[in-house]
C-alpha cells in the first residue's frame, strides 16, 4: 500500500463528502477509493469513517487523522513546491464560507478583485449563516461575523460591524416609536436563529446606563435578509448588522430605533484551521481581505450613526 496515496484519498473523501465524489475528483473508481480507505483502517487498526446508506461521517479518530494528514500533505506539497520555486504562488481551489448577507451585499466586489489579482486561484464560495464544520464541508477558510466556532481555529479580525434596530416608518407610525429598550415588550420583534444572545438584547448608553431586554414576535428565521425584508414590509422591528440595515435606513425604507442606545459591536474575522504552515492561497486571501476592509468603503457606519 502507498501510504501517502491512501492518506490523500482518505482526505479527499472527507473533503468531498462521499466516496463517489472523491472518486470523481481523483479520477479513480469508487471501488479503488473504498479499498484505499479500508487498507488505511487496517494499517491503523481503527475505524476512520462511520458509513450508512445515507451518509458518511468521520469518527473522532478519523477526524483527528484527517487534521494531521491534511497538514502533512500540505507540508509535503510545500516542500515539493519550494524545490520547483512555486512555494509562494497562490493557486488551486480555495473553498471559503461566508455569511449570506455579508457576502451577497458587500463581498462580491472583493471576491472579483481577488480573482483578478490571483487568476490561478479558483474560488469555491459556500454561503451560510451557520458555523460550518471545516472537515465536514472541506473548507480552507471562513469569514465569520461574531462567532468563530471551534477552539481549534485561528481567527484574525479584519473589521467590525455594529448591530442596529430598525423598523419601517409605517410600522412605527402605527405602533409608536420606542423611547426606551423596555418599550420593546409591546412591539413585534423579528427574531434571528443565530443571534448570539438569543432573544435577549443588551443596550447601553454613553453615560453608562444599561438595559437588558427580552423580545419576541411571530416571525423567526435563520436568514437575516429575510427578516429585514419583512421589516420593510411593516412586520415589526428587526435587529441586524449595519451592513444590512444602513443602506435601507439611508433610503428611508427603514428607520433607526433607539438611536441613542448602543447594541453589540461584532468582529468580522477570517478563520482557518490551526496549522503550522498556511497555504499560499489562504495567506493571500487573508492579506487581501485585511487590506480590502481597511481601505474600501464597504458600508460600516460609526456605532451611533443614524
Amino acid at each position: 500500500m502507498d501510504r501517502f496515496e491512501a492518506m490523500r484519498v482518505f482526505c479527499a473523501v472527507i473533503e468531498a463528502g462521499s466516496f463517489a465524489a472523491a472518486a470523481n475528483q481523483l479520477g479513480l473508481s469508487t471501488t479503488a477509493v473504498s479499498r484505499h480507505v479500508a487498507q488505511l483502517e487496517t494499517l491503523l487498526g481503527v475505524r476512520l469513517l462511520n458509513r450508512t446508506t445515507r451518509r458518511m461521517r468521520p469518527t473522532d479518530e478519523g477526524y483527528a487523522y484527517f487534521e494531521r494528514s491534511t497538514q502533512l500533505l500540505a507540508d509535503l506539497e510545500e516542500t515539493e513546491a519550494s524545490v520547483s520555486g512555486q512555494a509562494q504562488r497562490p493557486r488551486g481551489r480555495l473553498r471559503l464560507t461566508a455569511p449570506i448577507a455579508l457576502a451577497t451585499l458587500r463581498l462580491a466586489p472583493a471576491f472579483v478583485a481577488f480573482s483578478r489579482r490571483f487568476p490561478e486561484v479558483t474560488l469555491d464560495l459556500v454561503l451560510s449563516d451557520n458555523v460550518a464544520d471545516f472537515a465536514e464541508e472541506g473548507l480552507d477558510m471562513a469569514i465569520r461575523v461574531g462567532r468563530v466556532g471551534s477552539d481549534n481555529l485561528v481567527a484574525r479580525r479584519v473589521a467590525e460591524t455594529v448591530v442596529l434596530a430598525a423598523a419601517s416608518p409605517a410600522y412605527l407610525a402605527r405602533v409608536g416609536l420606542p423611547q426606551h429598550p423596555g418599550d420593546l415588550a409591546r412591539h413585534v420583534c423579528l427574531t434571528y436563529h443565530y443571534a448570539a444572545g438569543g432573544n435577549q438584547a443588551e443596550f447601553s448608553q454613553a453615560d453608562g446606563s444599561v438595559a437588558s431586554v427580552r423580545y419576541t414576535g411571530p416571525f423567526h428565521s435563520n436568514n437575516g435578509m429575510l427578516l429585514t425584508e419583512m421589516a420593510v414590509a411593516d412586520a415589526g422591528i428587526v435587529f441586524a448588522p449595519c451592513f444590512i440595515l444602513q443602506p435601507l435606513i439611508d433610503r428611508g425604507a427603514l428607520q433607526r430605533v433607539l438611536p441613542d442606545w448602543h447594541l453589540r459591536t461584532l468582529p468580522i474575522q477570517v478563520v482557518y484551521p490551526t496549522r503550522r504552515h498556511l497555504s499560499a492561497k489562504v495567506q493571500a486571501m487573508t492579506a487581501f481581505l485585511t487590506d480590502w476592509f481597511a481601505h474600501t468603503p464597504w458600508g460600516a457606519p460609526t456605532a451611533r450613526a443614524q
Side-chain angles (χ1 to χ4, degrees):
M1 181 186 72
D2 185 331
R3 187 175 299 184
F4 277 106
E5 178 64 11
M7 187 184 297
R8 184 173 72 92
V9 170
F10 171 71
C11 290
V13 170
I14 299 296
E15 291 172 349
S18 72
F19 285 85
N24 185 57
Q25 290 181 7
L26 297 172
L28 300 173
S29 69
T30 303
T31 301
V33 169
S34 180
R35 184 172 62 249
H36 276 296
V37 174
Q39 289 175 340
L40 199 56
E41 289 179 323
T42 300
L43 175 69
L44 298 173
V46 297
R47 179 177 290 278
L48 299 174
L49 298 171
N50 285 322
R51 311 168 181 83
T52 69
T53 56
R54 300 186 62 183
R55 64 184 308 178
M56 177 278 298
R57 291 179 62 90
T59 62
D60 290 343
E61 294 82 3
Y63 183 81
Y65 188 76
F66 168 77
E67 287 287 290
R68 296 296 297 272
S69 297
T70 300
Q71 180 60 63
L72 183 60
L73 291 170
D75 288 345
L76 178 61
E77 184 178 343
E78 284 190 15
T79 300
E80 293 173 342
S82 66
V83 174
S84 61
Q86 302 296 321
Q88 300 306 314
R89 182 174 159 188
R91 59 182 178 175
R93 186 187 72 154
L94 177 61
R95 187 167 170 83
L96 180 154
T97 185
I100 297 170
L102 179 63
T104 303
L105 300 175
R106 299 297 179 186
L107 291 181
F111 294 142
V112 172
F114 176 87
S115 183
R116 288 172 178 163
R117 185 178 299 181
F118 301 102
E120 292 187 76
V121 176
T122 300
L123 293 182
D124 184 355
L125 305 172
V126 181
L127 303 189
S128 174
D129 290 341
N130 191 20
V131 176
D133 182 272
F134 268 68
E136 187 171 305
E137 298 291 335
L139 298 170
D140 295 300
M141 63 187 301
I143 303 170
R144 290 181 175 161
V145 178
R147 301 170 301 156
V148 172
S150 169
D151 292 337
N152 295 323
L153 300 174
V154 173
R156 177 172 174 177
R157 183 186 293 241
V158 294
E160 62 182 30
T161 187
V162 180
V163 176
L164 306 179
S168 70
Y171 169 84
L172 295 173
R174 185 174 74 247
V175 183
L177 187 66
Q179 301 299 316
H180 184 274
D183 296 339
L184 294 175
R186 64 181 178 83
H187 281 267
V188 174
C189 294
L190 313 179
T191 58
Y192 178 56
H193 181 75
Y194 298 118
N199 295 351
Q200 185 87 17
E202 301 288 338
F203 290 85
S204 63
Q205 284 188 309
D207 64 4
S209 300
V210 177
S212 180
V213 180
R214 288 195 65 81
Y215 56 88
T216 187
F219 301 112
H220 180 76
S221 176
N222 65 350
N223 187 285
M225 294 174 67
L226 172 64
L227 294 175
T228 299
E229 290 303 315
M230 295 177 78
V232 172
D234 310 328
I237 297 175
V238 64
F239 302 83
C242 58
F243 59 79
I244 298 178
L245 297 186
Q246 194 64 47
L248 295 167
I249 293 172
D250 293 341
R251 295 205 304 266
L254 293 177
Q255 180 178 336
R256 178 107 180 250
V257 171
L258 300 169
D260 295 328
W261 290 84
H262 176 64
L263 279 161
R264 298 187 308 280
T265 297
L266 301 175
I268 298 176
Q269 302 176 96
V270 172
V271 181
Y272 43 83
T274 302
R275 291 179 182 169
R276 190 160 43 87
H277 299 296
L278 284 178
S279 67
K281 59 191 177 185
V282 171
Q283 293 184 57
M285 179 60 84
T286 300
F288 180 88
L289 289 174
T290 300
D291 182 73
W292 189 84
F293 275 110
H295 297 98
T296 303
W298 64 282
T302 61
R304 305 193 187 280
Q306 298 183 31

